[in-house]
Amino acid sequence: MAGTLPVLDLALLELPDAEQSPYLAELRTTARDVGFFYLINHGINSQLLQNVQSITQAFFALPDEKKQQVSMIHSPHFRGYNRAGVEYTREQRDQREQFDIGAERAALALQVGDPAWKRLQGPNLWPDALPQLRPVIHAWQQAMTGVALRLLRAFARSLSLPSDAFDALYGTHPNEHVKLIRYPGQAANASQQGVGAHKDSGFLTFLLQDDQPGLQVEVTPDNWVDALPMPGAFVVNIGELLEIATNGYLRATVHRVVSPSAQQERVSIAFFLGAQLDAEVPIYQLPPQLAADARGPTSDPTNPLLREVGWNYLKGRLRSHRDVAARYYADALITVKS
């Protein structure tokens, strides 16, 4: 254990079939009982880790007017920059600034009557003042996709499913997402909500932390543990897609970030492995001994889980980014809330 979270080794999950069984069992039980773990021996070289951390720091160091040129309010695809206090979680403002990047694709040609989630696909916004950002982030996306798919296929094997069981959901145009995040220090009498308690909507989330603590995991109701920084490791958690797909055998875990103290800051980089927006999540047939422990996905009446990937993802975006929702999705707000 490190920082109270288990440590899993990706290399052990890919040993020959006769040797990987105990490690797959550990993956399965860790995901079910804790929902968060550190991943080591992931294969991402240290230079790329350093490059993405350095370029993230460089982006947040840009003058505000340069960052505002790529503000998310200019993107119906929820790409771009947000100042601290613009995003909401559970009706409270999150004290973090961030830059969101998705898969680089052209916007879809929309027809009357198309579902609103089709507007999510589209190009990213890139700051002219930092041309190095785009190639570094693209290299990061490519490398992280490879690691994430390796782990997703290990998850399938851990559930006694074929390795490629989730590949159809991932599809050829998955909704992958990178978020560069900076948590500014807060005075003791200010809001400490770096980001409020929430679950992630995709398959898997990978977080590269700096040396500042702040991430907390709800291991049991009202029992929070710190996911302390571990050099070279990713913090990994499962998202709602795996909870839905396993009928609640695996559970997406609630987590939050507490703001650093005044005069400090915390910078992290998140990679979210998503599914194809037009996919619908089936319930996978688990072995009887696992299926017996599947209690159905947890669905908050104020934040229901939706099997339609596009709607489930859009629902979260609309609630978090109210300015973008009002500008580009006013027609969809009633549909998503109902």
Side-chain angles (χ1 to χ4, degrees), residues 84 94-97 181-195 209-216 226 229 256-268:
D94 294 326
Q95 300 305 314
R96 62 177 182 176
E97 60 173 327
I181 312 163
R182 175 182 174 270
Y183 297 91
Q186 300 295 315
N189 61 350
S191 170
Q192 302 302 305
Q193 179 171 303
V195 62
Q209 304 190 88
D210 65 6
D211 59 1
Q212 290 293 318
L215 175 62
Q216 296 183 334
D226 294 310
R256 68 187 181 190
V257 173
V258 177
S259 296
S261 58
Q263 311 306 317
Q264 300 291 326
E265 69 172 15
R266 177 177 180 269
V267 174
S268 60

Side-chain angles (χ1 to χ4, degrees), residues 42 160 284 301 331:
H42 43 67
S160 298
Y284 287 79
D331 61 314

Side-chain angles (χ1 to χ4, degrees), residues 138-329:
H138 279 172
W140 175 251
Q141 283 178 311
Q142 185 176 13
M144 289 306 303
T145 296
V147 171
L149 287 175
R150 288 165 59 199
L151 184 59
L152 184 66
R153 288 162 183 160
F155 262 107
R157 295 192 301 277
S158 79
L159 298 166
S160 298
L161 298 171
S163 286
D164 62 355
F166 300 120
D167 285 17
L169 277 178
Y170 175 78
T172 58
H173 292 76
N175 185 46
E176 294 170 351
H177 181 197
V178 171
K179 187 186 288 284
L180 314 181
I181 312 163
R182 175 182 174 270
Y183 297 91
Q186 300 295 315
N189 61 350
S191 170
Q192 302 302 305
Q193 179 171 303
V195 62
H198 67 285
K199 297 180 179 183
D200 294 338
S201 63
F203 277 123
L204 296 166
T205 302
F206 296 74
L207 188 70
L208 179 63
Q209 304 190 88
D210 65 6
D211 59 1
Q212 290 293 318
L215 175 62
Q216 296 183 334
V217 179
E218 189 180 43
V219 293
T220 59
D222 298 318
N223 179 19
W224 296 87
V225 301
D226 294 310
L228 299 175
M230 182 177 177
F234 297 120
V235 177
V236 179
N237 63 281
I238 69 168
E240 293 173 340
L241 285 184
L242 283 178
E243 180 169 341
I244 296 170
T246 61
N247 197 32
Y249 178 82
L250 298 177
R251 291 183 178 272
T253 303
V254 174
H255 53 287
R256 68 187 181 190
V257 173
V258 177
S259 296
S261 58
Q263 311 306 317
Q264 300 291 326
E265 69 172 15
R266 177 177 180 269
V267 174
S268 60
I269 301 105
F271 176 83
F272 303 88
L273 184 75
Q276 194 150 296
L277 289 171
D278 61 359
E280 183 168 334
V281 184
I283 295 177
Y284 287 79
Q285 188 65 48
L286 301 180
Q289 68 273 22
L290 301 184
D293 290 329
R295 300 185 297 272
T298 304
S299 192
D300 182 341
T302 66
N303 184 30
L305 296 182
L306 306 175
R307 293 193 174 280
E308 299 87 352
V309 171
W311 283 118
N312 198 56
Y313 183 74
L314 178 61
K315 171 198 66 179
R317 298 272 87 187
L318 296 179
R319 288 178 171 161
S320 296
H321 299 285
R322 298 179 178 181
D323 53 348
V324 179
R327 182 169 187 176
Y328 300 106
Y329 290 88

